[in-house]
């Protein structure tokens, strides 16, 4: 595909969205991702949850979208930071994800987030998505966050 074709392809994909997309309320994205998520365990520095893969999170190949997986790493990883006692979930410095397998419609997925390191200003969280039935790893992520505690000045 030449550069002009690529440009047209990207632009036309964005134009095919309904005009209502721009009118969606701020903050709609996180609930879209986590709706249906069940929290199975919360303990200091660890969160375990599960969900069935919904149609709204599928990509064109009919399996869990990589962007949805990245959002789950972010959101559930941030919950583990709160579970470790932080008053803030911080700001992302780095997030990396290894996509190892696919999860399909209605497949049960387990997500486990564990703090690897929690300092005064930096937290590092490991987040793993697994097939609940077999334990096979779907994705493994590591999220580093800056814990920007607010000043009382």
């Amino acid at each position: 595909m030449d550069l002009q074709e690529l440009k047209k392809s990207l632009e036309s994909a964005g134009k095919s969205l309904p005009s209502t997309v721009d009118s969606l309320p701020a903050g709609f994205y996180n609930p879209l991702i986590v709706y249906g998520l069940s929290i199975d365990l919360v303990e200091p520095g660890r969160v375990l949850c599960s969900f069935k893969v919904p149609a709204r999170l599928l990509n064109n190949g009919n399996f869990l979208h990589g962007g949805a997986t990245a959002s789950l790493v972010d959101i559930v990883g941030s919950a583990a930071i709160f579970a470790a006692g932080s008053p803030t979930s911080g700001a992302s410095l780095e997030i990396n994800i290894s996509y190892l397998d696919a999860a399909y419609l209605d497949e049960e997925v387990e997500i486990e987030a564990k703090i690897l390191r929690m300092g005064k200003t930096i937290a590092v969280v490991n987040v793993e998505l697994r097939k609940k039935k077999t334990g096979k790893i779907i994705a493994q992520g590591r999220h580093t966050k800056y814990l920007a505690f607010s000043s009382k000045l």
Side-chain angles (χ1 to χ4, degrees):
M1 181 179 288
D2 72 32
L3 296 179
Q4 285 303 316
E5 285 180 61
L6 176 63
K7 180 182 177 200
K8 286 179 186 176
S9 174
L10 289 171
E11 287 174 346
S12 68
K15 289 178 183 173
S16 68
L17 295 173
S19 61
T20 56
V21 169
D22 286 334
S23 66
L24 288 170
F28 85 96
Y29 184 74
N30 282 2
L32 175 75
I33 298 297
V34 300
Y35 180 76
L37 197 68
S38 174
I39 308 304
D40 302 324
L41 175 74
V42 177
E43 55 187 32
R46 182 174 176 239
V47 174
L48 184 66
C49 50
S50 57
F51 73 108
K52 279 188 176 183
V53 177
R56 71 180 180 280
L57 299 184
L58 298 179
N59 62 17
N60 289 338
N62 286 320
F63 54 89
L64 183 62
H65 194 288
T69 300
S71 293
L72 288 163
V73 167
D74 180 15
I75 295 165
V76 180
S78 295
I81 292 171
F82 280 124
S86 176
T88 178
S89 68
S92 296
L93 292 176
E94 178 185 36
I95 188 167
N96 70 61
I97 301 160
S98 296
Y99 298 93
L100 306 169
D101 201 358
Y104 297 93
L105 180 65
D106 292 330
E107 188 164 14
E108 286 204 57
V109 174
E110 182 175 70
I111 306 169
E112 182 176 20
K114 291 192 282 189
I115 298 291
L116 297 177
R117 182 183 188 284
M118 180 86 160
K120 291 179 183 175
T121 58
I122 302 289
V124 181
V125 184
N126 188 69
V127 182
E128 196 169 87
L129 284 78
R130 298 182 291 262
K131 294 177 183 256
K132 199 165 189 175
K133 189 174 183 180
T134 65
K136 189 171 183 183
I137 299 171
I138 297 163
Q140 194 167 52
R142 185 174 349 206
H143 196 179
T144 305
K145 298 191 88 174
Y146 172 64
L147 304 176
F149 294 108
S150 61
S151 172
K152 295 183 181 184
L153 293 179

